[in-house]
Amino acid sequence: MDRFKRFSLNFLMPLMMVSLSWICVSNAAGMAEQITRVYKVERVFDAISRSKIANTGALILEAGHAYVLVEATSTEKAAIARLGFSIAPPTRDEGKMLSFPVTDSNYHDYSEMVAEIQQAEIDHPAIFKLYNLGTSAEGRTIWAGKLSDKVEKDESEPEVLLTHHQHAREHLTVEQALYTLKMLTQEYTVDPQITRLVNDREIWIIFDMNPDGGEYDIATGTYRSWRKNRQPNVKTKTIGSDLNRNWDYLWGCCNSSKAKPNSPTYHGDASFSEPETKVVRDFVNSRVLNGKQQIKVAIDFHSYSELILWPYSHTLADAPSDMSQDDHDVLVAMGKKMAKLNGYAPKQWSDMYIADGTLNDWLYGVHGILNYTFEMAPKTEADGGFYPSDDVIPKEAARNRVAILYLMAQAACPYSAIGKKAQYCDTVTTNFYSPGDDAAVIRDAGDNNGYDVSPVNAYTHQKANAVDINSGTNNSLICDDKGKDKHNFYDYFINIPKEVIVKGIEVKLYAKADSVAGKPHICTQLSWDGGLTWTTPKLTDTLTTGTRAYTLGGVLDTWGRTWTSNDLAHHNFKVRLSNVAGTTVRDFSLDWLAVRVRYQPDL
């Protein structure tokens, strides 16, 4: 970045003695000033404490053994103090890299990055092709590149996704993207492993998800420590949202992303309110072909802290109701393996602190993609924080080489990491299918009207609910009770080959209740003969007042019977929901009712 200037620490010391580690951003075009400072919070030992601090709106920059460094407004600083924590400016060494870069000329700005990836396409047209995914808030192109031996063709090969630079000041992640591109293009036909992977995979690299924020961060020749994008917020004179709190999986669910536009973790005016997250969302959705997501594994690169993180970020639970135990075990196994290869520390995201609306949660929660966040070097703020010297680029980018290649190899069968290759990878899992029709059960079913308000809202996951008002005519908690409201959903038309062995059926629904009183839950049953016969009911956990995902059955659960492809392919396949609570005045809301199937092909 030629525009960056070099500053000596001798010049910086007087500034830091006056106000150590402050960040002041004056927005252009009359936008309101947003001021945050960096503080050290002592005696912070666990994820619960870190989550309480994050819930104030402060951004946790670094988590040490017994402390955190936070970026906070004065209001957020006061809120942390009210929690009983000791909060004060960091020492000179802890804060010295927060204001200005020391060396920087080998970093790529946006135009230099674009020139390099376009040259790579010219140099390697047989294996590398660029795609324009759309534009940022300020009109810059967000580029994706595909690497494969038949790059113009959409082959039936496992796909890998690598994303970079959601946060503006994390410039080292763009260098990682360029390193990976060079590795895969320049070493193709030279390195046998890379040659096999390019031949047998479709690898997608999104080089820079936040080009506007990155350019703003460096525009004056000194770093501004800017995190968010540059889209003006609708209702205030502030600019920018935290892209990694803007993804629509339990967005804003857990008080861990902020609704205040001046917060560094502002989650946006709505989920996918930002053009940058929208275009990447659309790209990932486009990789669902014939009802099945082609992307199997992914890494989202950030800095700093030298961590490998896996989902979920929104909950402390290791394997909540919308994650199978095997998926959790695979994420742990592959995460720990990669950590041994690059020297990072492996952990579940929420072991640091709770965060909602993250890309990682969306990739897994919506698409089932096994994915990770890599927090790149350095380990601490004192070692360079968000702005390490450019002389670390070659070493730190190459440090992830073997881990990246390992995950690309695992894309063929991630479950081999837990010794379940035969169980999973000799089978096929469909993507989720949605219903096309529905009907309330109108006899011996409570008040006989089922989801009487907008039942079609259960066909898609769109934050619009089908509602069953005052479900039931008695206080029974038994699924088959005739006093409970029931509703059938059907016309899924699940398309799988004939003569296969169905290994499991998974039902996923998003639901909530107006109150937890009476322990409301939903009973789920399947029918293969148009509703004449039903499987034994499976129950959700007790519903909460916030929409949650619930998984019934599973890809290795046949619901107690042997299924054929014909059972699933026509309208005779039905899903019945019975709304059960120990009260007759409970309201149930249903967002989406989806089904996927695992089957063993005819070998």
Side-chain angles (χ1 to χ4, degrees):
M1 296 175 181
D2 295 334
R3 290 174 289 172
F4 289 172
K5 299 178 181 178
R6 300 175 183 270
F7 292 83
S8 70
L9 287 179
N10 291 332
F11 176 79
L12 291 177
M13 290 306 177
L15 295 178
M16 291 189 288
M17 292 298 291
V18 173
S19 180
L20 181 66
S21 304
W22 64 274
I23 303 165
C24 175
V25 178
S26 298
N27 295 324
M31 292 295 172
E33 187 176 62
Q34 302 175 51
I35 301 176
T36 59
R37 287 184 170 86
V38 174
Y39 301 96
K40 185 175 184 179
V41 186
E42 302 280 5
R43 300 188 63 77
V44 182
F45 298 103
D46 54 39
I48 294 175
S49 297
R50 291 189 289 269
S51 295
K52 289 179 179 178
I53 292 169
N55 285 347
T56 68
L59 172 65
I60 294 180
L61 302 172
E62 176 179 322
H65 173 65
Y67 73 92
V68 293
L69 289 181
V70 300
E71 181 183 328
T73 64
S74 58
T75 300
E76 293 159 352
K77 174 179 180 287
I80 294 171
R82 286 195 298 272
L83 292 172
F85 294 105
S86 172
I87 179 169
T91 67
R92 181 177 300 162
D93 285 343
E94 290 163 343
K96 68 183 180 182
M97 293 301 296
L98 289 171
S99 295
F100 301 100
V102 177
T103 60
D104 47 41
S105 61
N106 288 322
Y107 281 94
H108 290 73
D109 64 18
Y110 177 75
S111 62
E112 292 167 343
M113 179 208 74
V114 172
E116 186 156 318
I117 62 178
Q118 289 178 340
Q119 187 62 48
E121 184 180 39
I122 294 170
D123 294 341
H124 306 279
I127 61 168
F128 180 60
K129 180 178 176 63
L130 284 172
Y131 291 83
N132 178 345
L133 299 187
T135 56
S136 65
E138 295 180 344
R140 294 180 175 89
T141 298
I142 296 176
W143 291 102
K146 178 185 177 183
L147 292 118
S148 189
D149 63 331
K150 297 180 179 65
V151 73
E152 297 283 355
K153 184 178 179 181
D154 209 340
E155 297 183 278
S156 180
E157 295 177 336
E159 297 189 13
V160 178
L161 175 64
L162 305 175
T163 55
H164 308 79
H165 203 217
Q166 285 204 72
H167 293 144
R169 58 194 171 193
E170 298 172 12
H171 301 284
L172 187 60
T173 65
V174 175
E175 305 308 316
Q176 180 68 65
L178 296 176
Y179 170 88
T180 304
L181 175 62
K182 289 180 181 178
M183 173 182 73
L184 295 174
T185 54
Q186 296 180 5
E187 298 185 44
Y188 182 69
T189 72
V190 176
D191 182 288
Q193 182 186 21
I194 288 174
T195 303
R196 285 194 302 271
L197 289 173
V198 172
N199 287 346
D200 297 340
R201 303 285 184 273
E202 293 187 348
I203 301 163
W204 297 93
I205 303 175
I206 299 179
F207 295 92
D208 188 345
M209 287 180 58
N210 189 3
D212 299 348
E215 290 297 283
Y216 178 79
D217 190 50
I218 65 175
T220 64
T222 62
Y223 290 122
R224 285 165 151 158
S225 200
W226 186 255
R227 172 181 171 90
K228 299 185 283 186
N229 72 344
R230 294 295 299 166
Q231 175 159 268
N233 296 310
V234 174
K235 298 179 181 180
T236 66
K237 292 183 178 181
T238 60
I239 286 183
S241 297
D242 184 342
L243 297 183
N244 208 28
R245 301 294 186 272
N246 192 237
W247 298 84
D248 187 17
Y249 191 73
L250 300 179
W251 174 84
C253 73
C254 310
N255 197 34
S256 57
S257 60
K258 289 297 137 182
K260 296 179 180 179
N262 65 341
S263 169
T265 57
Y266 177 53
H267 55 36
D269 298 329
S271 60
F272 291 129
S273 59
E274 307 311 296
E276 297 87 355
T277 56
K278 284 179 183 176
V279 300
V280 177
R281 172 202 65 189
D282 294 345
F283 167 72
V284 175
N285 288 345
S286 76
R287 301 316 302 150
V288 178
L289 304 178
N290 299 318
K292 188 175 181 181
Q293 177 57 252
Q294 304 301 297
I295 300 171
K296 305 305 179 186
V297 295
I299 302 174
D300 185 33
F301 287 90
H302 288 258
S303 68
Y304 62 95
S305 285
E306 299 184 6
L307 299 172
I308 293 179
L309 308 174
W310 52 81
Y312 277 127
S313 63
H314 73 268
T315 175
L316 292 173
D318 289 343
S321 59
D322 54 346
M323 177 182 287
S324 72
Q325 186 63 49
D326 281 351
D327 279 5
H328 172 263
D329 293 346
V330 169
L331 287 166
V332 173
M334 294 197 302
K336 288 183 175 180
K337 174 66 174 180
M338 289 188 290
K340 289 182 178 179
L341 297 173
N342 68 1
Y344 290 5
K347 62 178 68 178
Q348 184 169 314
W349 177 308
S350 59
D351 288 345
M352 293 195 305
Y353 55 88
I354 297 291
D356 56 57
T358 63
L359 172 58
N360 300 82
D361 279 13
W362 183 79
L363 286 174
Y364 179 81
V366 173
H367 286 282
I369 297 170
L370 299 168
N371 73 94
Y372 298 87
T373 290
F374 275 30
E375 292 281 0
M376 295 181 68
K379 184 172 289 187
T380 68
E381 191 67 46
D383 296 326
F386 295 113
Y387 301 115
S389 175
D390 66 351
D391 59 10
V392 309
I393 293 173
K395 174 186 174 183
E396 294 303 333
R399 182 177 178 181
N400 288 315
R401 173 191 176 101
V402 182
I404 292 170
L405 294 176
Y406 166 80
L407 193 66
M408 289 178 178
Q410 287 297 111
C413 184
Y415 298 93
S416 64
I418 58 171
K420 292 190 175 182
K421 179 179 183 298
Q423 185 172 336
Y424 280 92
C425 301
D426 295 336
T427 61
V428 177
T429 303
T430 70
N431 216 56
F432 283 103
Y433 285 80
S434 299
D437 207 347
D438 70 279
V441 180
I442 58 174
R443 181 178 179 182
D444 295 331
D447 51 21
N448 297 322
N449 63 359
Y451 283 94
D452 47 326
V453 178
S454 304
V456 295
N457 285 341
Y459 294 6
T460 57
H461 183 32
Q462 57 182 358
K463 290 193 173 182
N465 294 314
V467 182
D468 179 9
I469 300 174
N470 293 336
S471 62
T473 56
N474 64 36
N475 297 334
S476 172
L477 291 171
I478 299 174
C479 294
D480 292 328
D481 192 283
K482 294 182 179 180
K484 297 303 174 184
D485 286 10
K486 296 175 172 60
H487 206 108
N488 295 337
F489 294 87
Y490 46 94
D491 284 359
Y492 284 86
F493 297 119
I494 298 170
N495 182 23
I496 62 175
K498 295 181 179 180
E499 307 302 329
V500 300
I501 299 173
V502 175
K503 308 293 287 186
I505 301 175
E506 178 180 315
V507 176
K508 189 171 188 177
L509 58 91
Y510 293 78
K512 65 179 180 179
D514 63 326
S515 170
V516 299
K519 297 182 178 179
H521 56 266
I522 296 177
C523 306
T524 305
Q525 296 171 276
L526 307 181
S527 176
W528 57 96
D529 56 10
L532 297 176
T533 314
W534 295 92
T535 60
T536 301
K538 295 181 183 292
L539 282 70
T540 65
D541 296 334
T542 300
L543 302 187
T544 66
T545 56
T547 301
R548 298 278 181 173
Y550 300 89
T551 299
L552 292 307
V555 292
L556 296 175
D557 184 341
T558 61
W559 297 67
R561 71 177 303 272
T562 300
W563 299 80
T564 68
S565 59
N566 194 52
D567 292 335
L568 302 167
H570 52 64
H571 60 271
N572 281 341
F573 175 74
K574 295 187 175 184
V575 181
R576 170 175 290 182
L577 301 186
S578 301
N579 296 332
V580 177
T583 175
T584 61
V585 295
R586 197 80 299 118
D587 296 346
F588 289 73
S589 296
L590 179 66
D591 184 8
W592 188 35
L593 180 63
V595 177
R596 69 174 175 175
V597 177
R598 182 180 293 277
Y599 63 90
Q600 181 177 323
D602 182 8
L603 301 178

